[in-house]
Amino acid sequence: MKTVSLTLNINGADVTTAVEPRETLADVLRERLTMTATHVGCEHGACGACSVEVDGKIVRSCLMLGFMAEGRGVVTLEGLSDDPVIAVLRRTFHEKHAVQCGFCTPGMLMMARDLLKNRHVTSERDVRDGMAGQICRCTGYAGIVRAILAAAEELRRTSAGAPASA
Ligand code: FES
Ligand code: FES
C-alpha cells in the first residue's frame, strides 16, 4: 500500500518514517519505530493500554492516525525513564503489588502520571475517578489504586508532582 512520510518529535528527538495513511499512532510507534512500551489491547479506545502524550495531553494512540501526529510532540513511557513522577509511581506500583501480568501497566503509568501532574489527588475516589478509563484485565485495581494514592502522598510531601495550577 502507498506510504507517506511522517516527521514527528518522539521523546525529544525528531523522527521521520514512512507510514500508511490507515496506520494508527500506536501502530507507528510499535511497528515502524519498534517502541513497544505502548501496548495495544482493545484497539477501539476502551482500555487505555495505548495511552501516550501528544503535545502535553494524554491520548489513546489507537484512536489517532499516525499521520495526524505530523510535526507534533509525542511522549511515550520510553522517554520517561528519568521522570520524577514515573520514578515514584514505578516504586509504589512495586510496593503495593499493582502489577500482575503487566499488560495494562504502561498505560496505567502514563495516565497516573497525567493525573498526578494535573489534579489534586487526595482520596481513593480521586484515583478511581481519574483512572476510570483504564482497564486492567487481571482486575488488580485495589493494588493500582493504593499505588497511585501512595505516590500522590509522597509527591505532595516532596512537591515533585504538584499540579502546575496549584
Ligand atoms: S488499545 Fe487503545 S484504548 Fe485500548
Ligand atoms: S496487570 Fe494484567 S491487565 Fe493489568
Side-chain angles (χ1 to χ4, degrees):
M1 182 172 285
K2 187 175 183 307
T3 60
V4 295
S5 176
L6 167 68
T7 299
L8 68 171
N9 185 286
I10 302 182
N11 300 325
D14 287 339
V15 175
T16 298
T17 185
V19 302
E20 293 178 17
R22 64 177 180 84
E23 282 179 72
T24 66
L25 178 58
D27 289 338
V28 172
L29 291 169
R30 289 181 59 83
E31 309 300 333
R32 300 279 179 184
L33 303 171
T34 61
M35 301 181 72
T36 53
T38 302
H39 288 180
V40 175
C42 66
E43 295 186 80
H44 60 262
C47 74
C50 64
S51 299
V52 300
E53 223 179 65
V54 176
D55 290 345
K57 299 240 181 322
I58 283 282
V59 305
R60 304 203 157 195
S61 58
C62 72
L63 293 184
M64 181 173 179
L65 291 170
F67 74 81
M68 295 168 70
E70 173 70 33
R72 301 175 78 175
V74 176
V75 175
T76 69
L77 202 55
E78 285 100 338
L80 295 173
S81 52
D82 295 328
D83 181 82
V85 179
I86 287 292
V88 174
L89 282 166
R90 197 186 297 129
R91 180 164 39 72
T92 59
F93 266 56
H94 176 70
E95 290 169 353
K96 304 296 181 186
H97 308 291
V99 179
Q100 293 182 61
C101 79
F103 187 85
C104 69
T105 308
M108 290 285 178
L109 290 171
M110 291 299 294
M111 183 58 78
R113 173 177 176 269
D114 185 74
L115 177 66
L116 297 181
K117 287 177 75 72
N118 294 305
R119 287 201 239 160
H120 286 293
V121 173
T122 58
S123 68
E124 180 177 333
R125 185 78 266 154
D126 293 339
V127 175
R128 289 188 179 274
D129 286 349
M131 300 295 292
Q134 304 299 118
I135 291 176
C136 175
R137 290 179 293 186
C138 298
T139 67
Y141 297 108
I144 292 168
V145 171
R146 280 197 298 270
I148 296 170
L149 204 47
E153 287 164 6
E154 179 171 331
L155 291 166
R156 205 163 33 251
R157 281 199 308 275
T158 62
S159 298
S165 57

